[in-house]
């Protein structure tokens, strides 16, 4: 190993690996420089555990002469036989280094090494990569070099893991912040918060299609079922909508009990309001079908569900609102208030989808005028439209 080149790589990592634009580029650069310095590296893996409700971790796999492969694994991997017999389980759970010389009978407990041997590998070492918060992540190093890694090679690997961990932790923290913001406030709001829009009063006016929905009969449902069951029902019910909303370009801003507020931004300069509103309507129809198909068994009874959604289009104030040091990134304005009132009218009329006159005028469809309704806070009655394809259902 060339000690001067190894030191240069270490210094580059300590300085933040500035020449790399992405984590994959950083990993490729580290591996290629290590090979140039004399480390007979053929395959490298780095495995980062994440703070995410669905994703256990991310992995980056480098092979000599190939692009870095990026993947994610969910929590179900923890229950698989592959993970139970993986060297990385020992690294994650015990924080120990695992050496696996190919052909050593003691390593037959790791089926993964058989796969590596079939590809010509001669040696394997998994090294813990601890972060400053105490969490343990992992790296794996594989060679095809005859005789495997030498003592000098292993020492070089161990020396590079610490500076690599510092850079990986910074990248991981940034990504964790992005994922948590996406999870709790939405990707559009998350990007603005990370961009520095964090002070109360930081607001923008935006034209958008507005979606406001709730579950019919939720109060009675909550009264007769255990709270844990109600939460499970709500999660499945919201899945029916969120998938459709996000798939058609919308952003979920808030869950309010059984209510959901989402917006579909409109580019006023492009003039894409008809296209956006068409996508909103398609999302509403998909959600309607998903909720109608949702069946939740509770004892001997199978619960079925209905919901209502009001669609409107208008200008909203979008940004930080709150008191003291507790802020919420949300939207307000007369357009949101009208959508909320329309949703209540949808319930009274037994309709699943209703639209304001403004939305119906933009989104040309088989709308049926349902009447003019006085709405508290608005100076004149509002005309409400329903889909011609729908048959009203009177709730008992």
């Amino acid at each position: 190993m060339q000690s001067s080149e190894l030191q240069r790589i270490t210094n580059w990592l300590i300085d933040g690996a500035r020449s790399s634009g992405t984590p994959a580029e950083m990993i490729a650069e580290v591996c290629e420089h290590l090979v140039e310095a004399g480390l007979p590296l053929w395959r490298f893996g780095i495995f980062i555990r994440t703070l995410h409700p669905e994703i256990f971790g991310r992995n980056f796999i480098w092979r000599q002469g190939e692009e870095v492969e990026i993947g994610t694994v969910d929590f179900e991997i923890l229950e698989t036989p592959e993970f139970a017999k993986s060297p990385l389980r020992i690294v994650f759970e015990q924080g120990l280094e695992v050496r696996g010389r190919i052909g050593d009978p003691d390593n037959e407990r790791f089926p993964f090494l058989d796969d590596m041997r079939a590809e010509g590998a001669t040696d394997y070492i998994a090294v813990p990569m601890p972060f400053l918060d105490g969490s343990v992540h992992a790296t794996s190093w594989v060679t095809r070099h005859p005789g495997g890694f030498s003592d000098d090679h292993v020492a070089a690997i161990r020396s590079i893991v610490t500076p690599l961990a510092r850079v990986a932790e910074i990248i991981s923290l940034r990504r964790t912040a992005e994922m948590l913001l996406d999870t709790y406030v939405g990707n559009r709001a998350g990007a603005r918060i990370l961009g520095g829009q964090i002070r109360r009063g930081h607001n923008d006016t935006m034209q958008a299609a507005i979606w406001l929905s709730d579950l019919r009969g939720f109060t009675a449902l909550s009264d007769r079922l255990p709270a844990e069951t109600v939460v499970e029902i709500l999660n499945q019910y919201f899945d029916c909508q969120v998938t459709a909303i996000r798939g058609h370009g919308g952003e979920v801003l808030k869950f309010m009990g059984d209510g959901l507020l989402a917006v579909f931004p409109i580019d006023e300069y492009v003039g894409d309001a008809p296209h956006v509103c068409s996508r909103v309507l398609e999302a509403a129809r998909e959600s309607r079908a998903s909720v109608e198909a949702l069946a939740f068994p509770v004892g001997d009874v199978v619960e079925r569900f209905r919901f209502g959604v009001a669609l409107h289009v208008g200008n909203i104030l979008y940004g930080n609102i709150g008191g003291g040091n507790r802020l919420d990134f949300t939207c307000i304005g007369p357009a949101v208030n009208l959508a909320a009132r329309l949703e209540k009218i949808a319930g009274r009329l037994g309709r699943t989808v209703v639209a304001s006159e403004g939305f119906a005028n933009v989104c040309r469809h088989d709308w049926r005028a349902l009447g003019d309704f006085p709405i508290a806070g608005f100076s004149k009655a509002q005309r409400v439209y329903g889909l011609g394809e729908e048959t009203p259902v009177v709730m008992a």
Side-chain angles (χ1 to χ4, degrees):
M1 291 290 299
Q2 300 176 21
S3 58
S4 59
E5 181 63 17
L6 186 61
Q7 187 60 52
R8 191 187 73 78
I9 300 169
T10 299
N11 293 340
W12 177 72
L13 287 170
I14 292 172
D15 191 46
R18 298 171 186 267
S19 61
S20 296
T22 66
E25 291 175 0
M26 183 270 289
I27 290 167
E29 197 162 345
V30 167
C31 294
E32 289 161 7
H33 286 316
L34 285 172
V35 171
E36 292 172 2
L39 181 68
L41 187 62
W42 167 65
R43 182 187 185 275
F44 169 78
I46 185 168
F47 309 88
I48 309 294
R49 300 169 73 169
T50 60
L51 183 61
H52 190 280
E54 297 177 345
I55 301 172
F56 172 69
R58 302 179 78 212
N59 56 67
F60 298 80
I61 306 296
W62 172 90
R63 279 185 170 86
Q64 195 168 25
E66 299 181 16
E67 296 287 331
V68 173
E69 296 179 10
I70 305 173
T72 59
V73 293
D74 58 31
F75 284 93
E76 292 179 0
I77 194 173
L78 301 179
E79 308 302 325
T80 63
E82 291 79 12
F83 183 77
K85 297 181 179 181
S86 168
L88 295 182
R89 180 183 179 184
I90 297 173
V91 176
F92 285 135
E93 295 181 356
Q94 302 178 43
L96 299 177
E97 187 176 291
V98 180
R99 184 74 178 272
R101 292 184 183 276
I102 307 302
D104 188 334
D106 186 49
N107 292 319
E108 292 180 359
R109 56 191 173 131
F110 302 128
F112 172 77
L113 297 185
D114 291 334
D115 298 336
M116 290 293 95
R117 179 175 58 186
E119 295 188 55
T122 59
D123 203 353
Y124 168 96
I125 182 169
V127 181
M129 188 173 65
F131 281 3
L132 295 177
D133 63 0
S135 61
V136 177
H137 308 264
T139 61
S140 68
W141 312 73
V142 183
T143 184
R144 285 172 162 175
H145 186 68
F149 291 122
S150 68
D151 291 344
D152 285 344
H153 296 152
V154 174
I157 289 171
R158 290 170 179 162
S159 72
I160 209 69
V161 166
T162 298
L164 179 61
R166 300 291 75 79
V167 177
E169 185 164 13
I170 292 169
I171 295 172
S172 178
L173 286 171
R174 175 78 182 189
R175 181 168 179 82
T176 296
E178 291 174 350
M179 287 194 300
L180 289 177
L181 285 170
D182 285 355
T183 299
Y184 285 97
V185 302
N187 56 346
R188 185 183 179 94
R192 291 184 177 219
I193 292 169
L194 280 176
Q197 194 169 333
I198 59 174
R199 295 186 61 193
R200 186 169 61 175
H202 278 176
N203 301 293
D204 293 324
T205 299
M206 176 178 73
Q207 187 179 30
I210 302 162
W211 168 302
L212 212 152
S213 64
D214 81 348
L215 180 63
R216 301 289 182 241
F218 178 68
T219 301
L221 188 78
S222 301
D223 183 59
R224 60 186 171 81
L225 294 180
E228 295 81 3
T229 302
V230 173
V231 169
E232 191 172 349
I233 288 172
L234 278 178
N235 286 334
Q236 293 189 28
Y237 160 68
F238 284 134
D239 277 341
C240 293
Q241 298 178 75
V242 173
T243 301
I245 290 169
R246 298 193 66 177
H248 289 280
E251 178 176 353
V252 175
L253 288 186
K254 192 176 295 295
F255 298 101
M256 305 160 290
D258 63 316
L260 185 155
L261 172 63
V263 293
F264 293 72
I266 293 171
D267 190 332
E268 299 178 65
Y269 296 101
V270 175
D272 64 345
H275 178 60
V276 170
C277 290
S278 293
R279 295 206 311 264
V280 176
L281 179 56
E282 188 59 34
R285 296 165 89 176
E286 288 181 12
S287 297
R288 180 183 62 189
S290 297
V291 172
E292 288 176 352
L294 180 61
F296 193 95
V298 180
D300 297 330
V301 177
V302 176
E303 299 282 349
R304 306 304 294 249
F305 309 95
R306 292 187 67 251
F307 85 120
V309 56
L311 308 177
H312 182 43
V313 62
N315 290 325
I316 60 175
L317 194 64
Y318 183 77
N320 288 290
I321 300 167
N325 64 352
R326 177 63 177 91
L327 301 178
D328 191 9
F329 209 99
T330 188
C331 66
I332 61 170
V336 179
N337 297 339
L338 178 57
R341 302 292 191 274
L342 293 179
E343 193 283 318
K344 299 305 179 187
I345 292 174
R348 283 161 38 197
L349 298 177
R351 290 275 179 168
T352 299
V353 180
V354 300
S356 67
E357 187 170 20
F359 188 94
N361 286 339
V362 173
C363 179
R364 298 297 182 181
H365 192 70
D366 181 23
W367 297 106
R368 302 288 173 85
L370 305 179
D372 295 341
F373 295 83
I375 294 179
F378 289 82
S379 58
K380 64 178 184 178
Q382 300 290 321
R383 181 159 295 180
V384 179
Y385 289 80
L387 292 173
E389 68 204 48
E390 281 192 0
T391 300
V393 177
V394 178
M395 298 295 290

